[in-house]
Amino acid sequence: MTIEKMALAKAINESLRTALEADPKVLIMGEDVGKLGGVFRVTDGLQKDFGEERVIDTPLAESGIVGTAIGLALRGYRPVVEIQFDGFVFPAYDQIVTQLAKMHARALGKIKLPVVVRIPYGGGIGAVEHHSESPEALFAHVAGLKVVSPSNAGDAYWMMQQAIQSDDPVIFFEPKRRYWDKAEVDKDAIPGPLHGVRVAREGSDLTLAAYGPMVKVCLEAAAAAQEEGKSIEVLDLRSMSPIDFDSIQASVEKTRRLVVVHEAPVFLGTGAEIAARITERCFYHLEAPVLRVGGYHAPYPPARLEEEYLPGLDRVLDAVDRSLAY
Amino acid sequence: MTVESTAARKPRRSAGTKSAASASTTGTKSAASRSAGAAAKKSPGATGGEPELVQLLTPEGKRVKDATYDRYVADITPEELRGLYRDMVLSRRFDAEATSLQRQGELGLWASMLGQEAAQIGSGRATRADDYVFPTYREHGVAWCRGVDPTNLLGMFRGVNNGGWDPNGNNFHLYTIVIGSQTLHATGYAMGVAKDGADSAVIAYFGDGASSQGDVMEAFNFGAVYNAPVVFFCQNNQWAISEPTERQMRVPLYQRAQGFGFPGVRVDGNDVLACLAVTKWALERARNGEGPTLLEAYTYRMGAHTTSDDPTKYRADEEREAWEAKDPILRLRAYLEGANHADEGFFAELEAESEALGKRVRDVVRAMPDPDNFAIFENVYADGHALVDEERAQFAAYQASFADAGEGK
Ligand SMILES: Cc1ncc(C[n+]2csc(CCOP(=O)(O)OP(=O)(O)O)c2C)c(N)n1
Ligand SMILES: [Mg+2]
């Protein structure tokens, strides 16, 4: 049997293991990824089994981690680097934006940088500041980067496989509050395309589009709405760059209503881009403006307020009601 | 004043302090330093044998002479020594209380400073009221010395705020979680102090792990280039979460200063007297216009990285046990007792004071209210922002809709 139920963190661990076994050029790099196995244990046991040459505890320097990963990629390696928490990617932002994203184009396509940057992201775990951010739009905004986020263990396994195989740099956002959520992983499955939308639940009255940690919230909202006789379709977007607009369009042409949900601030977020594009594509199908539910234009609040800041079931349902009221 | 004029700031005082600086960089090694030298095993690649280490109190509590640094504690009174002891005991007690409050669910997280009391109290007590301190997230002992109410430190660990004190109230900046950032802020602040022609000094705390960050090395360089009155105080507690210092450096950290053009000194970080002395020296250099100093307090993180961490995954108990023998508090106690500087009554009174502090911290934390929901939108901008106003209003309407629904039922 190759179908196994496991936690999302474990699925990524298994995926990294598979990649390390399959390709000697795959390397794992980051702070505390070795003996400790990462602060979330995503790389647990990998250094023990693959050695310090392949699973590398780096100095505490994110710019250094990504910068040297670029160099290793230039030399033919496929580094998978871990940024310990979302809020700590910014020392590496320069390397990611000015170098990692652009080098392929500058070299007229002659070089490829198959670097995966893993970032545990999002809130909901009661952490201190800089440990709960959702900075995906800051990366999706940069041409040359691909940006993805799985919502469940099965996708996490396969999307990591595909990200490592990708010849483009991939920023891989891991929904940290779902690390412990278990789901089935089929290691023999034929996965869908890395950047394709997955229909997580079919429905006919309204489309909820989300990714990462918010897919679960949207599924719960859809279940709650069902009890009131509303049929909600839930899309797991999976990729913020590129975005599978065709699939979103197909869904919206059916349901005529769209609400986009993410933890990241609404202002200039992924939802803004989706709202604009879908309005262009589906203007005559839409019964209501595309609505967005997300974080506020404010620093991520202290843990005791995060429940108020994060979109939860009620806020999603509120948006569903507002959309249906048009 | 221009930035250039900061660079040109001339030393104000005698060469006396300068010779202290050069003595420490050219490897003068006191007898005392040898006894603790073995602790340097974790810094491979040290050129020319064991790195020197300033020590004034041995682990057994014996006062040893140091030609360079004795003068900075020469006139210390028994009362002041008892004060240092009291600071260490009370800040340790506070720290332990916070750890247990985390266990009880009152705090979300705690980063214990256990084992680092001497480094923090020694350096903290060396500062003057007009000096400015830039801490990491572990400087509870330094905060204590600065007069920050310890309960104020707990807000961010409880999750009721992201800072929680007015940095200018005690010239003690907010805790900084993004590793290394604050060293640049300290350097910039020091550049400002110099521009103002003030004789205050600035001290930036950071860890052994932080020393790998570009920001920290940039801070060293800015400090050097502008001859800023800043002291870089590294607590080398041997670990950056699970990574030992071998993963961060191949020469003893303090030696890095030389490459930037200012002196670096390694001090026994479990010796409060030595930490006090070297920090006084370094702050005096800063005040005198002699520029930055790097101090490496060689110490040990006795506890887990934070309450979320499990050190058994990556380090051996024996290491901890070896460091227990060098405990900073026991060491000073042995000295106080040996020199008849403290009697039973003092220790008993302190014990009672310590219990009272623990109780006060517990009570305050348990009574600490959750912030108002609207705090989310507060202080986002100094001059306000239309989008924040709009979202606050939407939030208010949304919240009110629940109240209305409640009333309707
Ligand atoms: C830029 C950044 N990267 C990673 C982290 C996660 N992190 C928090 S503490 C720490 C280790 C710090 O070690 P050190 O500087 O030695 O200080 P110590 O915790 O030992 O006091 C790490 C990696 C962070 N806070 N900031
Ligand atoms: Mg450390």
Side-chain angles (χ1 to χ4, degrees):
Chain A
M1 261 264 296
T2 51
I3 300 181
E4 211 187 311
K5 209 167 175 185
M6 64 179 83
L8 194 151
K10 179 71 179 160
I12 297 174
N13 177 276
E14 297 263 316
S15 191
L16 295 173
R17 176 177 292 278
T18 305
L20 284 162
E21 274 163 2
D23 183 353
K25 294 294 187 191
V26 171
L27 304 174
I28 310 289
M29 301 168 67
E31 296 156 10
D32 306 288
V33 298
K35 222 172 184 179
L36 183 64
V39 295
F40 290 106
R41 308 291 185 266
V42 171
T43 56
D44 199 25
L46 298 179
Q47 188 182 67
K48 189 167 146 279
D49 294 343
F50 296 93
E52 292 184 16
E53 286 290 318
R54 299 196 59 202
V55 181
I56 303 163
D57 268 335
T58 65
L60 204 178
E62 288 77 10
S63 180
I65 293 169
V66 173
T68 55
I70 291 171
L72 283 156
L74 290 171
R75 182 68 192 177
Y77 286 88
R78 302 185 91 85
V80 182
V81 312
E82 174 175 300
I83 300 295
Q84 201 161 79
F85 280 91
D86 34 62
F88 307 140
V89 67
F90 297 104
Y93 198 58
D94 170 43
Q95 286 290 342
I96 293 173
V97 174
T98 68
Q99 306 301 321
L100 185 61
K102 298 182 187 7
M103 220 177 264
H104 176 72
R106 287 183 56 222
L108 307 176
K110 298 282 184 241
I111 55 172
K112 292 174 180 141
L113 292 178
V115 176
V116 178
V117 181
R118 295 183 37 238
I119 308 177
Y121 83 119
I125 63 161
V128 294
E129 66 165 347
H130 308 299
H131 292 72
S132 305
E133 318 251 314
S134 297
E136 62 272 16
L138 298 177
F139 296 88
H141 203 70
V142 178
L145 302 176
K146 289 178 173 171
V147 183
V148 302
S149 178
S151 69
N152 62 80
D155 274 3
Y157 179 87
W158 280 111
M159 288 169 72
M160 182 57 77
Q161 289 294 298
Q162 293 167 318
I164 294 171
Q165 279 154 21
S166 165
D167 280 335
D168 289 310
V170 177
I171 313 297
F172 196 96
F173 282 100
E174 302 174 1
K176 69 169 86 79
R177 69 160 130 163
R178 307 289 178 225
Y179 267 149
W180 304 275
D181 287 6
K182 289 190 174 177
E184 281 182 357
V185 176
D186 180 356
K187 291 191 191 166
D188 289 338
I190 297 166
L194 175 60
H195 302 287
V197 160
R198 180 178 68 92
V199 180
R201 177 186 174 114
E202 285 193 37
S204 52
D205 296 338
L206 181 147
T207 301
L208 278 176
Y211 49 85
M214 279 296 127
V215 172
K216 187 175 177 197
V217 173
C218 288
L219 286 170
E220 286 164 3
Q226 182 75 56
E227 285 171 20
E228 296 170 14
K230 298 164 197 160
S231 167
I232 309 289
E233 180 144 302
V234 178
L235 302 183
D236 182 350
L237 298 176
R238 303 185 348 135
S239 177
M240 287 76 82
S241 179
I243 293 175
D244 178 4
F245 288 110
D246 290 349
S247 296
I248 306 173
Q249 179 178 353
S251 175
V252 172
E253 283 176 0
K254 178 175 70 172
T255 65
R256 297 168 174 264
R257 289 182 163 87
L258 175 63
V259 177
V260 188
V261 183
H262 47 62
E263 287 188 19
V266 163
F267 184 61
L268 292 174
T270 311
E273 181 60 32
I274 293 173
R277 298 258 171 185
I278 292 303
T279 304
E280 284 170 23
R281 288 183 179 216
C282 306
F283 191 69
Y284 293 105
H285 286 90
L286 284 168
E287 298 281 356
V290 179
L291 298 182
R292 292 166 291 160
V293 184
Y296 301 108
H297 189 66
Y300 194 89
R304 300 251 172 171
L305 289 178
E306 70 179 341
E307 291 281 295
E308 300 298 331
Y309 176 92
L310 291 169
L313 191 60
D314 286 332
R315 266 173 62 202
V316 174
L317 288 172
D318 176 68
V320 166
D321 287 347
R322 280 188 286 127
S323 175
L324 289 169
Y326 273 93
Chain B
M1 252 192 161
T2 62
V3 170
E4 285 68 33
S5 65
T6 321
R9 203 158 75 128
K10 288 282 175 317
R12 277 196 218 109
R13 242 186 47 186
S14 71
T17 38
K18 263 181 157 173
S19 64
S22 51
S24 64
T25 41
T26 49
T28 318
K29 191 156 117 181
S30 68
S33 68
R34 250 164 246 140
S35 66
K41 68 171 172 15
K42 298 203 74 168
S43 296
T47 46
E50 293 161 2
E52 69 258 43
L53 177 142
V54 179
Q55 188 183 66
L56 302 181
L57 273 184
T58 67
E60 296 73 35
K62 247 189 69 204
R63 178 75 166 83
V64 286
K65 289 206 182 321
D66 184 292
T68 310
Y69 298 101
D70 271 347
R71 74 174 96 153
Y72 293 95
V73 290
D75 51 4
I76 194 163
T77 64
E79 193 184 348
E80 285 167 332
L81 286 167
R82 285 193 299 273
L84 293 173
Y85 184 80
R86 176 177 171 274
D87 289 338
M88 290 199 289
V89 167
L90 293 182
S91 55
R92 178 175 287 188
R93 178 53 207 255
F94 162 70
D95 185 74
E97 197 60 48
T99 298
S100 65
L101 284 165
Q102 194 280 335
R103 298 279 176 247
Q104 295 159 27
E106 295 289 345
L107 302 179
L109 183 82
W110 184 244
S112 169
M113 64 145 186
L114 184 64
Q116 299 177 214
E117 294 85 358
Q120 297 198 11
I121 300 299
S123 61
R125 283 294 171 210
T127 61
R128 258 177 15 194
D130 60 313
D131 293 340
Y132 214 105
V133 175
F134 287 82
T136 70
Y137 41 81
R138 209 188 284 286
E139 268 67 74
H140 321 313
V142 184
W144 173 267
C145 295
R146 298 299 300 177
V148 177
D149 185 327
T151 58
N152 278 349
L153 304 177
L154 299 174
M156 63 186 278
F157 292 97
R158 184 172 168 89
V160 300
N161 59 47
N162 283 331
W165 59 90
D166 174 4
N168 292 324
N170 304 73
N171 284 10
F172 184 80
H173 191 67
L174 298 175
Y175 277 175
T176 298
I177 288 178
V178 180
I179 300 291
S181 288
Q182 76 283 359
T183 56
L184 282 166
H185 312 153
T187 302
Y189 194 97
M191 288 160 63
V193 167
K195 280 174 187 300
D196 293 345
D199 79 339
S200 312
V202 180
I203 183 165
Y205 289 85
F206 63 105
D208 43 286
S211 74
S212 292
Q213 283 286 17
D215 275 8
V216 173
M217 288 182 256
E218 290 170 28
F220 289 176
N221 199 40
F222 271 68
V225 165
Y226 294 111
N227 200 41
V230 59
V231 175
F232 298 110
F233 194 97
C234 178
Q235 286 166 87
N236 179 351
N237 63 7
Q238 313 302 324
W239 291 92
I241 310 187
S242 74
E243 297 196 17
T245 48
E246 287 89 338
R247 293 270 76 79
Q248 313 290 349
M249 60 192 80
R250 286 297 163 115
V251 297
L253 179 75
Y254 73 98
Q255 290 180 3
R256 227 184 263 178
Q258 209 184 354
F260 287 93
F262 51 85
V265 173
R266 178 179 280 186
V267 57
D268 183 337
N270 286 16
D271 172 353
V272 71
L273 261 198
C275 289
L276 178 69
V278 297
T279 312
K280 276 191 164 177
W281 161 70
L283 288 168
E284 204 171 286
R285 290 190 73 250
R287 292 186 215 297
N288 293 339
E290 293 170 61
T293 308
L294 172 60
L295 301 178
E296 178 188 5
Y298 205 75
T299 180
Y300 193 72
R301 194 194 81 207
M302 295 298 287
H305 169 69
T306 65
T307 46
S308 301
D309 177 42
D310 173 14
T312 62
K313 294 272 292 181
Y314 54 81
R315 71 183 194 185
D317 284 346
E318 295 84 73
E319 187 182 84
R320 195 197 134 99
E321 283 155 21
W323 278 93
E324 247 157 36
K326 303 181 203 167
D327 185 80
I329 295 184
L330 293 180
R331 180 184 309 208
L332 183 57
R333 183 175 180 133
Y335 176 65
L336 286 173
E337 287 176 340
N340 269 327
H341 284 334
D343 58 15
E344 290 281 306
F346 167 75
F347 293 113
E349 237 173 72
L350 184 54
E351 183 56 34
E353 192 182 3
S354 170
E355 282 311 302
L357 173 67
K359 182 174 175 345
R360 181 168 81 82
V361 169
R362 263 193 316 277
D363 292 347
V364 172
V365 167
R366 287 182 182 151
M368 212 179 261
D370 281 355
D372 184 82
N373 289 341
F374 287 89
I376 292 173
F377 304 97
E378 270 166 30
N379 299 311
V380 180
Y381 292 89
D383 289 336
H385 189 283
L387 178 59
V388 177
D389 295 342
E390 184 184 329
E391 290 190 344
R392 186 197 290 110
Q394 283 167 357
F395 182 78
Y398 173 69
Q399 299 262 312
S401 72
F402 288 102
D404 297 346
E407 275 157 28
K409 274 176 193 158

